[in-house]
């Protein structure tokens, strides 16, 4: 080998080594977040809302916190837990993410939980709502809601407002089972009667055959839980079967009246009373600003899933400030405990005992405001904890 070639070769080796070192240094300065949500399939609206909200938050607050650059790696699991598990594993092992977040449905949150425990990474549940999720790993925290929080409140409200007979229609998987159980715990205990109980499949539900049964059972109201994304189709079939005309009121947790779809539902949604943690019509300044910014960026209103994502990334930013940029699971989970802030939904906090969200639950009625349908809040229950944690 000529002298020139040897010099060149040495220079090249050096350059590679320097490059690798620089790469390592920048890797250390970056906190990677694996955001696993459904971007396709029946739950796609959840993923889109969360992705939109996370991007909006990062545009508003920058992508550097506590000296670390935040990098979000978005993955679509189509709400299928086998995908969630594989993606979480790849993100943790190959991409070396410090945090996994998202989880559009309960089975997805369950699938990732053992990996969070094993790898000791923080898992932020931004969407799923079954009570027991947070007990599946000591590294899980949640910024969404639980079905128990809203279902007990609408159960009490129904009793107090002269509703005596209720037919229930709930999605046949864990959050639907929670919604039904907590509603019945309060409604039946208060003297109410369940006259019909139907469970519909999660995937591509056809509500029509069930709606006829509901109508025939002549209830005063119908308690409905379907996950985000399905309310529009449900209300279309509800109107087509004439349930609105027969005076059967829709009540339930607010998922069925998601702001994302509400305005497209038409007047058959008017008068529906639901209990929930977020309405786009929540009258605080923070929410007005949030709704305006979201509409400007994406041309539509945010729904409750967007707020779960917005608060989830906020929680991570604040936790990183508290740990001085340390992103290991033990430091981050310790930092989130007891964290409190004002969200677009109102004041919220992370219960230091359970790592679950504590928040106001509002009772709302669908009304027309300036020609658009909104869930107008008319009663507030403050700082509601998940009832599933206290009642074993
Ligand atoms: C859930 O799967 O936990 C879930 C999904 C969507 C909702 C509520 C709960 O609207």
């Amino acid at each position: 080998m000529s002298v020139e070639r040897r010099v060149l070769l040495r220079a090249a080796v050096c350059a590679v080594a320097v490059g690798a070192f620089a790469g390592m240094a920048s890797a250390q300065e970056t906190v990677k977040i694996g955001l696993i949500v459904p971007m396709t399939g029946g739950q796609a609206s959840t993923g889109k809302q969360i992705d939109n909200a996370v991007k909006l938050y990062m545009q508003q607050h920058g992508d550097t916190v506590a000296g670390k650059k935040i990098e979000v790696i978005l993955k679509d699991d189509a709400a299928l837990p086998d995908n969630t598990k594989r993606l979480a594993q790849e993100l943790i092992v190959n991409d070396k993410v410090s945090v996994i977040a998202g989880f559009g449905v309960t089975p997805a949150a369950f699938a990732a939980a053992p990996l969070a425990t094993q790898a000791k990474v923080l898992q932020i549940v931004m969407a799923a709502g079954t009570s027991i999720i947070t007990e599946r790993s000591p590294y899980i925290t949640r910024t969404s809601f639980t079905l128990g929080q809203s279902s007990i409140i609408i159960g009490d409200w129904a009793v107090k407002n002269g509703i005596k007979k209720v037919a229930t229609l709930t999605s046949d998987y864990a959050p639907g089972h929670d919604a039904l159980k907590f509603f019945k715990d309060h409604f039946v205990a208060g003297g109410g009667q369940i006259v019909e109980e139907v469970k519909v499949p999660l995937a591509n539900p056809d509500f029509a055959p069930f709606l006829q049964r509901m109508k025939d059972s002549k209830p005063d109201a119908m308690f409905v839980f379907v996950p985000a994304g399905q309310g529009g189709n449900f209300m279309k079939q509800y109107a087509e079967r004439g349930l609105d005309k027969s005076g059967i009121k829709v009540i339930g947790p607010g998922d069925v009246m998601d702001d994302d779809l509400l305005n497209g539902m038409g007047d058959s949604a008017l008068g529906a009373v639901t209990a929930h943690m977020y309405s786009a019509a929540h009258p605080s300044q923070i929410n007005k600003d949030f709704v305006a910014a979201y509409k400007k960026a994406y041309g539509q209103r945010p729904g409750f899933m967007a707020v779960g994502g917005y608060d989830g990334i906020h929680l991570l930013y604040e936790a990183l400030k508290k740990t001085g940029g340390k992103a290991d699971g033990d430091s981050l989970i310790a930092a989130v405990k007891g964290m409190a802030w004002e969200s677009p939904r109102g004041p919220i906090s992370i219960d230091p005992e359970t790592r679950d969200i504590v928040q106001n639950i509002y009772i709302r009625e669908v009304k027309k405001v300036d020609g658009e349908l909104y869930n107008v809040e008319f009663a507030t229950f403050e700082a509601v904890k998940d009832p599933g944690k206290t009642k074993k």
Side-chain angles (χ1 to χ4, degrees):
M1 199 185 285
S2 70
V3 173
E4 292 80 17
R5 274 199 69 138
R6 223 176 285 148
V7 169
L8 270 177
L9 194 67
R10 209 175 292 150
V13 168
C14 254
V16 168
V18 168
F21 187 73
M24 247 171 65
S26 75
Q28 279 167 356
E29 299 306 323
T30 301
V31 173
K32 291 186 187 173
I33 304 158
L35 185 63
I36 312 173
V37 286
M39 298 298 289
T40 53
Q43 256 48 56
S45 65
T46 295
K48 286 181 187 144
Q49 288 192 51
I50 291 177
D51 179 37
N52 284 347
V54 167
K55 289 196 170 110
L56 177 64
Y57 186 90
M58 292 180 69
Q59 275 158 23
Q60 291 172 331
H61 296 85
D63 64 357
T64 304
V65 58
K68 306 279 170 162
K69 191 162 164 53
I70 306 296
E71 184 189 338
V72 175
I73 306 174
L74 177 70
K75 297 284 178 185
D76 172 19
D77 68 355
L80 299 172
D82 286 348
N83 291 350
T84 319
K85 189 173 169 192
R86 177 179 47 78
L87 291 168
Q89 197 139 23
E90 287 171 8
L91 285 161
I92 292 169
V93 174
N94 302 342
D95 296 299
K96 313 247 178 311
V97 298
S98 306
V99 179
I100 50 175
F103 312 103
V105 292
T106 292
F110 283 167
L115 300 172
T117 305
Q118 218 173 28
K120 298 186 192 299
V121 299
L122 180 69
Q123 178 176 352
I124 306 175
V125 175
M126 296 171 161
T130 301
S131 172
I132 204 164
I133 288 173
T134 44
E135 293 172 44
R136 290 289 177 96
S137 169
Y139 294 96
I140 293 183
T141 186
R142 165 155 48 197
T143 55
S144 44
F145 51 84
T146 72
L147 275 308
Q149 286 176 321
S150 44
S151 299
I152 58 170
I153 284 170
I154 202 71
D156 290 339
W157 180 84
V159 169
K160 285 193 196 121
N161 286 273
I163 294 174
K164 299 204 161 52
K165 292 182 182 174
V166 164
T168 67
L169 181 144
T170 50
S171 200
D172 193 8
Y173 77 121
H177 302 164
D178 269 10
L180 183 60
K181 175 196 173 302
F182 286 107
F183 173 73
K184 285 208 285 196
D185 276 0
H186 283 241
F187 179 65
V188 176
Q193 192 192 346
I194 305 290
V195 292
E196 181 68 85
E197 196 174 295
V198 299
K199 295 190 171 137
V200 296
L202 170 63
N204 309 313
D206 177 13
F207 301 109
F210 302 112
L211 286 168
Q212 192 58 44
R213 267 168 65 189
M214 308 248 101
K215 199 173 168 188
D216 294 345
S217 69
K218 298 197 182 345
D220 302 320
M222 180 170 178
F223 173 86
V224 181
F225 167 74
V226 291
Q230 293 188 0
N233 189 24
F234 171 78
M235 287 307 291
K236 188 167 164 273
Q237 298 190 15
Y238 166 88
E240 279 168 6
R241 295 264 144 177
L243 273 87
D244 53 339
K245 306 276 180 316
S246 53
I248 302 171
K249 201 178 180 67
V250 171
I251 62 170
D255 308 68
V256 65
M257 292 296 150
D258 188 354
D259 271 294
D260 193 38
L261 301 171
L262 179 60
N263 213 21
M265 287 182 194
D267 288 356
S268 61
L270 283 169
V273 174
T274 56
H276 209 41
M277 40 44 106
Y278 180 69
S279 163
H282 181 64
S284 69
Q285 192 56 47
I286 287 186
N287 186 49
K288 285 179 185 156
D289 294 345
F290 172 67
V291 172
Y294 192 98
K295 271 190 178 162
K296 187 164 176 237
Y298 307 112
Q300 66 195 84
R301 309 184 185 160
F304 63 94
M305 289 301 187
V307 178
Y310 196 74
D311 286 329
I313 190 80
H314 173 82
L315 178 63
L316 178 63
Y317 270 47
E318 292 305 308
L320 283 167
K321 285 181 195 166
K322 221 162 136 182
T323 64
K326 273 174 74 182
D328 60 284
D330 288 301
S331 302
L332 286 177
I333 200 72
V336 304
K337 290 179 183 174
M339 196 87 88
W341 69 102
E342 190 179 347
S343 151
R345 70 187 100 172
I348 63 176
S349 66
I350 300 297
D351 187 333
E353 306 290 319
T354 63
R355 295 163 273 105
D356 216 339
I357 185 145
V358 181
Q359 59 192 333
N360 292 353
I361 297 294
Y362 308 90
I363 309 186
R364 318 92 49 85
E365 178 175 354
V366 176
K367 290 191 170 167
K368 212 169 248 181
V369 182
D370 298 331
E372 290 191 30
L373 296 180
Y374 278 100
N375 292 296
V376 177
E377 296 168 350
F378 63 87
T380 304
F381 291 77
E382 283 177 11
V384 179
K385 289 189 178 189
D386 172 37
K389 306 293 190 302
T390 44
K391 267 190 214 160
K392 286 280 165 191

